[in-house]
Amino acid sequence: MATNTPNLECRMYEAKFPDVDMAVMIQVKSIGDMCAYVSLLEYNNIEGMILLSELSRRRIRSINSLIKVGRIEPVMVLHVDEDKGYVNLSKRRVSEEDIQVCEDRYNKSKLVHSIMRHVAETMTIDLEDLYIHVGWPLYRKYGHAFEAFKLIVSDPDSIINTLTRVIKETGPDGEEVTRVVPAMSEDVKDALVKDIRRRMTPQPLKIRADIEMKCFQFDGVLHIKEAMRKAEAVGNLQCPVKIKLVAPPLYVLNTQTLDKEQGILILNKAIEACTEAIEEHKGKLAVKEAPRTVSEREDKLLSEHLAKLGRENEEVGGDDGSEEEEDTGMGDIDVENKGIGIIE
């Protein structure tokens, strides 16, 4: 299986050419007077052609508004010439449903291809050979290798150990014999499983909501503290809820979960519980930002902002015992105990 100069170029699917009336992902290479030349990304960049008359159902006013060099998009297969090795395509005949199916398939195939190519490169093996004995059998059995890779994350042996290859050897008597052996060596198997787990292990989503909470009653700080506890009590082990003070009266609720819909639902319930608790004491809660997923950058910016506020509070804390502090009365409650609030 290993060679000194492995081939790292290969189509994503077992078929060398796409079927007619199939949507495929292309990249535009050049635009001529009569047609645009493209490469089929899923089929090892074989050449395709789109007649300018197949760009749009409407009257074409500007070619550049319809197609540009470098653009990647789905188109429909009209005709395949396997002898000449090119494909006639149409942009105007692809429907919204076709586009959605094509994009979903391509995104999955691209990830599978990236993993397969990385394994072939690092283990110095032929990419097409890896596809023949591993990738394409998984496509046939599971509909898409992506579905098999998802199962490999948690139980690799049950998937990979079913893959075999037939080799021919010369026996002791000089006659040729065939043997069925595993599709991959243990080293290649370990590299494949490691790369799949690194690329496909689900990562928890961070869900966040921003609220404003106030209570003007006596012991308002304690009422806010209790409302925060009610909000956090809504969470569970799979979707824990945390609430933090940003700057009075602004608070953030956040959670981490693999299920986006479940995370948003939990935070909405936490907001409801918090609202009910604070309104019992004539307080008010306003949702400034509804529960939504946040990026690593947004989460980092929030953490940096909270850290900055913490440092500023420490600097102010050096004036303990001042007359001004005695006049204001209600101080901060320990953040760790979630008892932060202000009476205005």
Side-chain angles (χ1 to χ4, degrees), residues 24-203:
V24 295
M25 195 67 71
I26 58 92
Q27 183 172 34
V28 182
K29 293 301 181 183
S30 63
I31 301 173
D33 295 332
M34 300 294 294
C35 64
Y37 295 97
V38 304
S39 59
L40 279 67
L41 300 179
E42 299 162 279
Y43 294 86
N44 201 25
N45 297 316
I46 60 175
E47 186 178 86
M49 180 180 67
I50 305 175
L51 292 174
L52 298 188
S53 60
E54 290 293 337
L55 290 179
S56 175
R57 296 179 182 275
R58 301 177 181 179
R59 182 180 178 182
I60 300 175
R61 297 180 181 276
S62 172
I63 295 296
N64 290 332
S65 65
L66 296 174
I67 194 166
K68 293 182 180 180
V69 174
R71 178 181 292 175
I72 295 176
E73 59 184 312
V75 295
M76 182 67 70
V77 177
L78 297 182
H79 175 71
V80 176
D81 190 328
E82 296 189 14
D83 294 332
K84 295 183 179 180
Y86 68 80
V87 184
N88 287 335
L89 305 158
S90 172
K91 179 178 178 179
R92 71 184 183 92
R93 304 192 195 196
V94 64
S95 67
E96 288 298 323
E97 183 180 355
D98 293 328
I99 290 173
Q100 183 62 44
V101 171
C102 180
E103 289 179 343
D104 181 63
R105 184 193 68 235
Y106 174 68
N107 289 331
K108 292 178 179 179
S109 302
K110 184 170 64 172
L111 177 58
V112 169
H113 191 72
S114 176
I115 292 172
M116 295 282 283
R117 195 178 190 281
H118 182 260
V119 171
E121 184 176 15
T122 55
M123 300 306 294
T124 321
I125 58 178
D126 187 90
L127 177 58
E128 185 170 355
D129 191 56
L130 188 62
Y131 262 111
I132 290 172
H133 296 98
V134 178
W136 295 333
L138 293 178
Y139 269 98
R140 291 195 297 268
K141 185 174 181 179
Y142 294 93
H144 200 295
F146 179 87
E147 303 303 325
F149 279 16
K150 288 197 299 184
L151 299 175
I152 287 174
V153 170
S154 57
D155 188 10
D157 289 343
S158 66
I159 310 299
I160 296 178
N161 289 351
T162 63
L163 302 174
T164 59
R165 62 165 59 209
V166 176
I167 62 171
K168 295 182 179 181
E169 297 178 335
T170 302
D173 55 0
E175 293 188 4
E176 187 176 77
V177 295
T178 59
R179 287 198 307 122
V180 177
V181 299
M184 297 173 285
S185 67
E186 285 298 318
D187 289 345
V188 174
K189 174 184 173 181
D190 291 344
L192 179 62
V193 172
K194 180 180 179 181
D195 212 34
I196 290 174
R197 284 176 170 166
R198 180 177 64 87
R199 300 284 296 277
M200 297 188 64
T201 298
Q203 298 297 318

Side-chain angles (χ1 to χ4, degrees), residues 240-256:
V241 174
K242 298 294 181 184
I243 183 168
K244 297 179 180 179
L245 170 70
V246 178
L250 182 62
Y251 297 79
V252 294
L253 294 91
N254 57 65
T255 187
Q256 290 192 47

Side-chain angles (χ1 to χ4, degrees), residues 316-339:
V316 174
D319 297 328
D320 288 345
S322 67
E323 181 179 348
E324 180 181 357
E325 183 175 349
E326 291 175 1
D327 290 341
T328 57
M330 301 297 290
D332 287 343
I333 296 176
D334 186 6
V335 177
E336 296 298 322
N337 292 325
K338 311 173 190 65

